[in-house]
Amino acid sequence: MAEIKVIIPAVNEGDSIGKVVSGLPKSVSEIIVVNNGSTDDTIENAEKAGATVLTENQRGYGFACLKGMDYIAKQSKQPDIIVFIDGDYSDYPEELDKVVAPILEKDIDFVVGARKKSLREPGSMTPQQVFGNQLATFLMRLLFRAKFTDLGPFRAIKYNKLIALEMQDKTYGWTVEMQLKVLRKKMSYTEVPVRYKCRIGVSKVSGTVKGTIFAGIKILGWIFKYSLK
């Protein structure tokens, strides 16, 4: 049986993190919550739900993900698959088995849980999120002939392929960097439709004007950077 580990970046997700951790299937061998500057009870609730909790004091989604990867790299045995999911309970953690299925059944390298409009709860994605996703994936189709339709945070990748990507982005560009590098390295990929609901709490990215602007700059920056290579 494939060993699966989950990395969950979390900032002030005290009301939701326990639901995310508890909702993940028993097929997961370890759930790693990376506390990224929380001032609430995120740590306590994650530990209570059974997660391993790490702390990354440098704020940024990528910083948190890299912290989780560094922790895994130092273990005596590495997993077969890494899954990333947000800690706000907007995704349905029980759908993890569906997200990893193409890897297990078809030997696909990388899978994105695509938040299809028909499966999204009304209001679960802000207009700027929808527009940003459409623009980014349109540019990837135009410049790289990609088939991605979403930059969804619920994603799975073979561990050895993740290491080969040599991820660098420390903040908002993490998801698009991963997808661009998968394309560049000609790894196999697919999307699976996943449900999406209104998050618990306020988004640190799309919930603020500053976050929205910086995320947009980072995403477009990565796309145009790779288009010139």
Side-chain angles (χ1 to χ4, degrees):
M1 182 180 291
E3 184 174 358
I4 302 169
K5 298 205 173 190
V6 178
I7 295 175
I8 310 174
V11 183
N12 291 334
E13 308 289 9
D15 293 336
S16 57
I17 194 64
K19 297 177 183 293
V20 178
V21 174
S22 300
L24 289 163
K26 300 301 181 187
S27 54
V28 173
S29 64
E30 187 176 19
I31 301 165
I32 302 151
V33 172
V34 185
N35 173 49
N36 197 210
S38 300
T39 55
D40 64 358
D41 52 1
T42 294
I43 294 175
E44 294 85 349
N45 291 344
E47 290 177 339
K48 193 182 300 181
T52 299
V53 179
L54 311 176
T55 294
E56 174 53 70
N57 292 319
Q58 296 184 87
R59 291 290 288 269
Y61 191 88
F63 272 122
C65 291
L66 289 167
K67 181 79 171 188
M69 288 173 57
D70 183 62
Y71 165 78
I72 291 171
K74 293 175 180 176
Q75 295 179 329
S76 58
K77 182 178 182 293
Q78 273 66 57
D80 301 294
I81 298 170
I82 297 292
V83 173
F84 295 92
I85 187 172
D86 282 352
D88 59 14
Y89 204 48
S90 53
D91 288 297
Y92 289 75
E94 61 271 22
E95 292 193 320
L96 178 142
D97 288 336
K98 182 166 76 169
V99 175
V100 301
I103 299 177
L104 298 175
E105 298 169 7
K106 300 179 181 178
D107 201 32
I108 297 294
D109 295 325
F110 173 62
V111 183
V112 174
R115 300 164 292 185
K116 299 293 184 185
K117 185 176 181 180
S118 60
L119 298 177
R120 293 198 310 256
E121 184 177 287
S124 58
M125 288 181 70
T126 63
Q128 56 265 37
Q129 277 181 296
V130 174
F131 174 76
N133 267 285
Q134 290 176 341
L135 177 60
T137 53
F138 167 76
L139 290 172
M140 283 196 280
R141 287 194 299 274
L142 181 69
L143 298 172
F144 308 103
R145 298 182 181 177
K147 297 178 181 178
F148 291 119
T149 65
D150 194 12
L151 306 179
F154 197 3
R155 50 186 54 207
I157 186 169
K158 292 178 182 176
Y159 179 73
N160 63 331
K161 299 297 183 179
L162 176 60
I163 298 304
L165 294 182
E166 299 180 323
M167 294 292 293
Q168 299 173 15
D169 196 275
K170 309 298 192 304
T171 55
Y172 304 112
W174 175 270
T175 54
V176 74
E177 178 195 2
M178 186 179 292
Q179 284 165 252
L180 289 169
K181 287 184 171 180
V182 163
L183 294 170
R184 179 60 55 133
K185 292 180 179 293
K186 296 185 173 10
M187 295 181 185
S188 58
Y189 67 92
T190 191
E191 292 183 336
V192 296
V194 295
R195 294 175 293 159
Y196 198 69
K197 58 185 179 295
C198 292
R199 58 161 292 140
I200 295 175
V202 179
S203 172
K204 285 70 180 179
V205 180
S206 60
T208 66
V209 173
K210 178 182 176 182
T212 300
I213 292 172
F214 277 108
I217 291 171
K218 261 303 183 83
I219 289 168
L220 294 177
W222 272 106
I223 290 173
F224 289 121
K225 172 184 174 181
Y226 265 71
S227 71
L228 298 174
K229 285 193 173 185

